[in-house]
Amino acid sequence: MDSKTLGNASDDSLNKSKTPPFIQAVEEVSAGLNSDVDTGLSPEESRARLQRFGSNQLSQIHRISAVVLFMRQLKNPLLLVLFLGAMLSLYIQHYVDAVAIVVIIFINATVSFIQEFKAQQSMDALRQMAAPQCWVKREGEWQNRPALELVPGDVIKLETGTIIPADARVFESVQLQVDESALTGESDPVRKKIAALDDENLILADQVNMVFMSTAVTHGYGTAMVTATGMQTEVGNIAQLIASTEHRLTPLQRRIKGLSHILIWAALLIVALILVLGFFQGMSFIDMGATGISLAVAAIPEGLPTVVTIVLTLGAHQMMRSNALAKHLTAVETLGSTSVICSDKTGTLTQNKMQVKQIWVGGESFYVDGTGYEPQGQFYDANKKTIDPHKQRDLIAMLRMSTLCSDTRLIEHKGEYSIHGLPTEGAVVVAAAKANITKQTLLTEYDIAFSFPFDSTRKMMSVIVSDQNNQAWLYVKGAPDVIMSRCEHALHQGQEVGFSHQKAAAHQVVETFAGQALRTLAVAYRPLSAAQVEQPDTALETELTLMGVYGIMDPPRDEATKAIKECHDAGIRVVMITGDHVETARAIAYQMHLVQQADAPAITGAQLNAMTEAELLRCVGDMCIYARVTPEHKLRIVRALQAQGEVVAMTGDGVNDAPALRTADIGVAMGLSGTGVAKESADLILLDDNFATIVTAVREGRRIYDNIRKFIRQALTANVSEVSALLFAFVLISSSVDDAGNLVVMLTLAPLMILWVNLVSDGIPALALGMDGAENDVMKRKPRPSNESFFANHLSIRIVVRGLVLGGLTYLVFKFAIDQGMGLAYAQTLAFMTLIFGQLFHIFDARTFTTLYQRNPFSNVALLWGVAGSAVLSVSMVYLPYGQMVLGTTAVSWQHLIIVIALSALPTLILSAIKQFGRIKWL
């Protein structure tokens, strides 16, 4: 729904024709709304309509309470299995085990709860954009009323600085300009007209006789009649789109969910195996329960949710230092999976600062460089050789004329430059400043007698000045077609010639500039007599002499161009989705090497409207340019890409971008120019509005995903070794018989020992893995398929083989100690130490996808400290009374400890050597 239909707020609409207001004449709009532009509505009628249509506000959204949100975290399948283990521990009176498991559950749930507690506030941000008060005409009198009370048919006043409170049809416009960038994405203010338009299918940006809720009046004044309020406005339409979008699971969340299911089934199968074997072997229920709990705990990496969250947090901090603020931790990894980046053009790929790039004057061409609005840059001739502009008389004359004929000012504050006025006009002022020409200095030579401001009807601005010889001049600048139609002469190599001699060349320059995505601005002049100075602009703006034409553009960011190349090298497709005109979009895309052909195919919003979903799906995989699009179009594009299995990052800064930002796998908002709605709807905020920052974040996301996979390899190898060590004892019957004649299995490891391995010997070094640097080829790989599991590229085989070897070694150490009569506690302690140090050695192999022999073990200092800390803590749990009480360990001889440490290094060293020299990729 949009505001194309009058009074569409309910079924009892005021206007029965359902005709878009922008194609209706003023009288038709007024009649359709049963209102009068001179008197407005009566208080009685306004109250009746308020009752019928409702308040002029956006609907509230449902909020999830903190309690419900916390309880939702407990639905995590891994936590449910641990909870069942805690209940069984209580039943068999293993209270320490039960308490320890419950604490682990609470920590994991709390971390996840904190991560998700930042609820979406998009609707709140939209509500804050509405004008709290407005001027409305009631019974012929202007009243300052709350915007909430507006209804269709109300007449409102529009003045500079006004936040427009509802969608309305313009009835009066005196140089009225409105900033609609938040809705349309176009940076230039829109000049509003009164006349009806003739195309019912115009997109929002072209409905120049309409104003829309939450946009701002930047210049002039006028009046308008409200056609839609509240949720029936364009902003309301966007709010409905936001409310209707569902958050997709991120690739990381989908992979962890899949991993959870695998681990749960593995735990259940192992427990079932224990119960069956135990039943036939005559084990007691309590002994089977203890064994089952031990195996369930061993099969599940309890620290996985916590470690993943902490690793993502570390990555988020790293991104923050690179000007990328991740609002949701999962966004950090999602970036690493991104296969398509849908980017806005203005301000993201480009600088959002209009610059003069070329100047055609007196029949010669010149070029200008520079960055942003800084008055620093060089001038070049047609051969791209540096020149002194002050030695080019015609060029300097044109810069002086256009500076005097300008209302825009260049402002410097603490070394930062900005403009106050129209962006296109500001580009000319900055170009003059690069030649040390400013209006302030020119006013010491000239007096301004009259100024005729820019008008959308005339499409030009002019000024009358007098020089030090009291000669009056008319300087004019504006649209080339309008200026040229009023010229009788043209400047050519310092001489005035008949315009007919230069007409073809001038029009060719304009066409050439347009083909290069340059906006054009012509400059002309005319000498005036004293009598002519008093004449109106309509009489003076004729018989002009064409001075030249400026070629102006919003230039691409150099770093964004480099970033696009890096994206292509990394297999990431960049798609430009913009509200700008198609030729401008195509030219910028070609200049930035986003596409390889100057005439690359592009799709406009109008063409999208005519496409079916099937047609869009057929072409979306190859299309890189979309122009003149609406919020609905952006949604369709994102969903079509996702339907093809792409992981989509979508950038945006306006209200109109919010639905697509929420629907995309990762929404990226602009931190400097972005609206509050866009920032609240996004997952990532660029603090510098720079596309290159996205690519930096993608690199960081890939590094983080690699590190998460490394942790999973490390953690699951430990789990396999723990489970296999226990199963070896059970299957090979390391057992004894109790006084009642029941078979009692001597477990290789006690349950709390397993928890310690999972949380400390794995957990502490795993955090350091999160700080591991990126592999050298991280931005040379193709994006991961969205359905790729953690176990791709033979990782599952590596985990099983390494885990079984280490588990077997752990059991053999345990079995040897039992056979030597060292006692159960002593044997379990030796097995505990074997497993601890085996994992600590294995982590150096887990931190690379090659072998430990190909990566410097000292390159990650944090990992060295983590391994050392884990080793010291674990050894202390063997020799300190507190550790012996909690874990059931006992002090072992130093000779045995040294032997165990040496043995635990063998699996990693030997298997890595076999892989290295045998070139066995799966090992």
Side-chain angles (χ1 to χ4, degrees):
M1 198 287 304
D2 58 27
S3 61
K4 294 178 181 179
T5 302
L6 287 172
N8 51 3
S10 68
D11 292 335
D12 54 351
S13 173
L14 294 172
N15 182 43
K16 301 299 187 288
S17 68
K18 302 296 183 183
T19 306
F22 56 83
I23 68 170
Q24 290 187 347
V26 168
E27 296 77 12
E28 293 177 292
V29 175
S30 180
L33 288 168
N34 294 330
S35 183
D36 188 286
V37 69
D38 296 320
T39 61
L41 300 175
S42 67
E44 295 77 13
E45 179 63 17
S46 66
R47 283 194 293 270
R49 294 190 183 187
L50 186 62
Q51 184 69 27
R52 187 196 310 177
F53 296 111
S55 297
N56 179 34
Q57 63 179 344
L58 302 181
S59 300
Q60 299 287 331
I61 59 175
H62 177 68
R63 295 289 181 186
I64 301 174
S65 70
V67 174
V68 173
L69 188 61
F70 183 80
M71 296 303 294
R72 181 183 292 179
Q73 311 311 314
L74 297 178
K75 293 182 179 180
N76 185 320
L78 294 178
L79 300 188
L80 290 176
V81 173
L82 289 177
F83 182 76
L84 179 61
M87 293 300 99
L88 287 173
S89 295
L90 281 175
Y91 180 77
I92 62 176
Q93 298 181 354
H94 287 198
Y95 299 118
V96 175
D97 294 6
V99 171
I101 295 173
V102 169
V103 169
I104 297 304
I105 293 171
F106 181 79
I107 291 173
N108 279 299
T110 302
V111 171
S112 300
F113 166 75
I114 293 172
Q115 174 186 341
E116 295 189 13
F117 188 65
K118 298 177 180 178
Q120 292 293 329
Q121 296 176 329
S122 299
M123 299 293 290
D124 290 340
L126 280 165
R127 250 181 254 111
Q128 292 169 5
M129 293 182 66
Q133 296 284 129
C134 63
W135 287 99
V136 58
K137 186 176 283 188
R138 296 279 166 83
E139 289 190 328
E141 295 184 0
W142 289 109
Q143 301 177 12
N144 192 17
R145 305 291 300 173
L148 289 173
E149 298 179 3
L150 282 183
V151 294
D154 267 330
V155 177
I156 56 175
K157 182 187 293 186
L158 307 175
E159 301 173 312
T160 302
T162 298
I163 302 297
I164 296 170
D167 290 3
R169 173 68 159 81
V170 178
F171 276 19
E172 177 189 13
S173 175
V174 180
Q175 299 190 25
L176 181 65
Q177 298 181 39
V178 179
D179 178 6
E180 296 180 348
S181 59
L183 281 176
T184 66
E186 295 195 29
S187 56
D188 284 347
V190 180
R191 289 188 175 273
K192 294 300 178 179
K193 301 179 180 179
I194 300 172
L197 305 176
D198 57 5
D199 185 355
E200 187 171 338
N201 297 314
L202 288 176
I203 65 171
L204 201 67
D206 296 329
Q207 296 174 23
V208 294
N209 57 9
M210 295 288 297
V211 291
F212 305 100
M213 176 189 273
S214 82
T215 59
V217 178
T218 60
H219 185 73
Y221 62 90
T223 57
M225 183 170 286
V226 174
T227 59
T229 58
M231 294 299 289
Q232 310 305 314
T233 63
E234 289 294 337
V235 173
N237 180 34
I238 293 171
Q240 290 176 349
L241 290 173
I242 293 174
S244 64
T245 57
E246 296 182 1
H247 277 301
R248 288 159 48 101
L249 290 177
T250 68
L252 179 62
Q253 289 171 325
R254 292 196 294 271
R255 291 182 179 108
I256 289 180
K257 184 178 180 180
L259 176 61
S260 300
H261 291 159
I262 292 173
L263 295 175
I264 288 168
W265 280 110
L268 292 177
L269 287 173
I270 292 169
V271 171
L273 177 64
I274 291 299
L275 293 176
V276 171
L277 292 176
F279 176 78
F280 286 106
Q281 291 178 4
M283 290 179 63
S284 68
F285 175 76
I286 291 178
D287 208 25
M288 284 191 295
T291 305
I293 291 170
S294 297
L295 286 169
V297 170
I300 296 176
E302 292 81 7
L304 176 62
T306 302
V307 171
V308 168
T309 300
I310 294 174
V311 169
L312 291 174
T313 301
L314 293 173
H317 286 306
Q318 181 63 36
M319 285 186 181
M320 183 71 174
R321 288 192 287 269
S322 300
N323 290 319
L325 173 62
K327 289 180 56 188
H328 309 289
L329 293 182
T330 50
V332 175
E333 185 278 333
T334 306
L335 276 165
S337 302
T338 299
S339 58
V340 177
I341 300 176
C342 296
S343 176
D344 189 21
K345 175 182 70 68
T346 304
T348 308
L349 296 174
T350 63
Q351 298 176 21
N352 197 21
K353 295 178 179 179
M354 302 299 291
Q355 294 181 35
V356 172
K357 305 300 289 184
Q358 295 188 46
I359 304 174
W360 181 79
V361 55
E364 295 187 69
S365 295
F366 299 93
Y367 298 86
V368 190
D369 65 12
T371 303
Y373 292 132
E374 292 185 18
Q376 304 292 329
Q378 298 290 328
F379 288 79
Y380 304 87
D381 61 16
N383 297 318
K384 300 294 182 70
K385 293 183 179 179
T386 307
I387 61 169
D388 180 356
H390 289 277
K391 294 182 179 180
Q392 304 293 327
R393 187 177 63 177
D394 294 346
L395 175 60
I396 286 297
M398 181 169 168
L399 292 171
R400 289 163 67 94
M401 287 180 190
S402 49
T403 301
L404 286 167
C405 186
S406 174
D407 292 328
T408 298
R409 293 180 294 123
L410 177 63
I411 300 171
E412 186 269 335
H413 178 67
K414 295 182 179 180
E416 297 291 329
Y417 290 88
S418 62
I419 61 166
H420 186 272
L422 298 177
T424 303
E425 194 172 80
V428 175
V429 171
V430 173
K434 292 174 182 177
N436 297 317
I437 297 172
T438 66
K439 192 169 186 178
Q440 183 178 1
T441 57
L442 290 175
L443 289 179
T444 63
E445 304 176 36
Y446 296 87
D447 292 322
I448 297 179
F450 294 101
S451 179
F452 305 105
F454 182 89
D455 182 85
S456 59
T457 302
R458 296 188 306 124
K459 295 185 178 180
M460 68 173 70
M461 173 186 179
S462 59
V463 62
I464 297 175
V465 302
S466 58
D467 60 22
Q468 293 174 328
N469 298 320
N470 292 323
Q471 171 64 53
W473 298 88
L474 177 74
Y475 296 152
V476 184
K477 66 173 173 38
D481 58 334
V482 175
I483 297 291
M484 291 179 191
S485 69
R486 301 177 182 228
C487 288
E488 291 189 359
H489 301 88
L491 195 70
H492 181 65
Q493 296 182 354
Q495 302 294 322
E496 290 187 9
V497 299
F499 182 68
S500 59
H501 293 88
Q502 287 291 93
K503 183 176 181 179
H507 283 288
Q508 180 61 46
V509 166
V510 171
E511 290 180 10
T512 302
F513 283 1
Q516 297 173 1
L518 297 174
R519 298 186 184 185
T520 52
L521 194 66
V523 178
Y525 67 93
R526 175 187 178 183
L528 301 177
S529 65
Q532 290 175 318
V533 171
E534 303 296 332
Q535 293 181 4
D537 58 334
T538 53
L540 294 177
E541 292 168 345
T542 59
E543 302 177 12
L544 301 174
T545 298
L546 179 66
M547 190 75 190
V549 179
Y550 287 108
I552 303 169
M553 75 179 303
D554 178 11
R557 295 175 181 263
D558 291 338
E559 63 273 25
T561 302
K562 296 176 183 176
I564 288 174
K565 182 182 184 304
E566 193 170 358
C567 282
H568 291 165
D569 291 341
I572 301 171
R573 190 155 59 95
V574 181
V575 176
M576 179 190 291
I577 304 179
T578 178
D580 213 336
H581 294 278
V582 64
E583 291 304 325
T584 302
R586 184 184 280 119
I588 291 292
Y590 178 67
Q591 186 174 343
M592 302 187 73
H593 306 295
L594 191 150
V595 294
Q596 303 306 313
Q597 297 176 328
D599 59 347
I603 293 178
T604 64
Q607 291 171 323
L608 275 172
N609 287 336
M611 280 186 176
T612 64
E613 295 304 318
E615 290 171 335
L616 178 59
L617 280 173
R618 281 196 293 271
C619 70
V620 75
D622 301 316
M623 192 60 57
C624 293
I625 305 172
Y626 298 87
R628 307 298 281 173
V629 294
T630 66
E632 290 85 351
H633 295 149
K634 293 183 179 183
L635 269 180
R636 287 186 66 193
I637 294 166
V638 169
R639 287 171 175 165
L641 288 167
Q642 290 173 333
Q644 293 193 336
E646 305 283 7
V647 177
V648 182
M650 171 74 190
T651 74
D653 57 5
V655 176
N656 60 329
D657 295 319
L661 290 174
R662 283 177 60 84
T663 302
D665 296 281
I666 178 163
V668 184
M670 304 299 109
L672 297 177
S673 61
T675 61
V677 180
K679 293 175 186 176
E680 291 297 338
S681 299
D683 305 294
L684 188 79
I685 299 175
L686 302 184
L687 302 181
D688 56 0
D689 288 13
N690 192 340
F691 180 84
T693 302
I694 303 176
V695 181
T696 300
V698 168
R699 185 186 300 107
E700 182 66 16
R702 289 189 173 191
R703 181 188 73 85
I704 288 168
Y705 178 75
D706 281 353
N707 289 346
I708 290 175
R709 279 190 84 208
K710 293 170 186 177
F711 164 72
I712 289 174
R713 175 186 173 184
Q714 170 73 7
L716 293 188
T717 300
N719 292 137
V720 171
S721 60
E722 292 158 8
V723 170
S724 59
L726 292 170
L727 281 178
F728 285 143
F730 193 88
V731 173
L732 298 177
I733 314 181
S734 294
S735 59
S736 62
V737 178
D738 61 15
D739 295 337
N742 294 316
L743 187 69
V744 178
V745 174
M746 292 184 290
L747 297 178
T748 313
L749 300 162
L752 286 182
M753 289 180 179
I754 297 170
L755 277 176
W756 180 269
V757 173
N758 289 347
L759 295 176
V760 179
S761 75
D762 277 350
I764 294 176
L767 294 179
L769 271 182
M771 303 172 65
D772 217 14
E775 304 269 358
N776 293 332
D777 65 340
V778 70
M779 288 301 283
K780 298 297 181 182
R781 311 174 200 153
K782 299 301 179 184
R784 298 181 300 276
S786 59
N787 59 351
E788 180 183 283
S789 76
F790 285 123
F791 303 110
N793 300 318
H794 312 296
L795 186 61
S796 58
I797 299 177
R798 293 191 198 110
I799 290 171
V800 171
V801 171
R802 304 293 176 104
L804 287 175
V805 171
L806 183 56
L809 177 64
T810 302
Y811 170 73
L812 289 176
V813 170
F814 170 81
K815 183 71 166 57
F816 176 81
I818 291 293
D819 291 344
Q820 296 298 315
M822 297 179 183
L824 179 60
Y826 199 97
Q828 285 183 332
T829 302
L830 287 179
F832 177 58
M833 286 289 96
T834 302
L835 192 58
I836 290 285
F837 283 96
Q839 288 303 305
L840 294 181
F841 282 112
H842 175 259
I843 200 168
F844 290 99
D845 191 48
R847 66 184 290 255
T848 177
F849 296 111
T850 55
T851 71
L852 62 83
Y853 298 112
Q854 294 188 22
R855 193 159 196 202
N856 183 0
F858 303 104
S859 60
N860 186 340
V861 177
L863 182 61
L864 296 176
W865 281 107
V867 168
S870 177
V872 170
L873 285 173
S874 298
V875 171
S876 70
M877 297 300 283
V878 171
Y879 293 99
L880 295 180
Y882 177 78
Q884 295 172 354
M885 179 186 70
V886 173
L887 300 184
T889 58
T890 187
V892 299
S893 71
W894 287 101
Q895 292 87 346
H896 285 164
L897 180 63
I898 293 172
I899 292 171
V900 161
I901 293 174
L903 286 173
S904 63
L906 293 179
T908 295
L909 296 175
I910 294 173
L911 291 175
S912 295
I914 294 173
K915 178 180 179 179
Q916 173 75 24
F917 298 106
R919 301 186 182 279
I920 304 173
K921 292 184 178 181
W922 53 265
L923 186 57

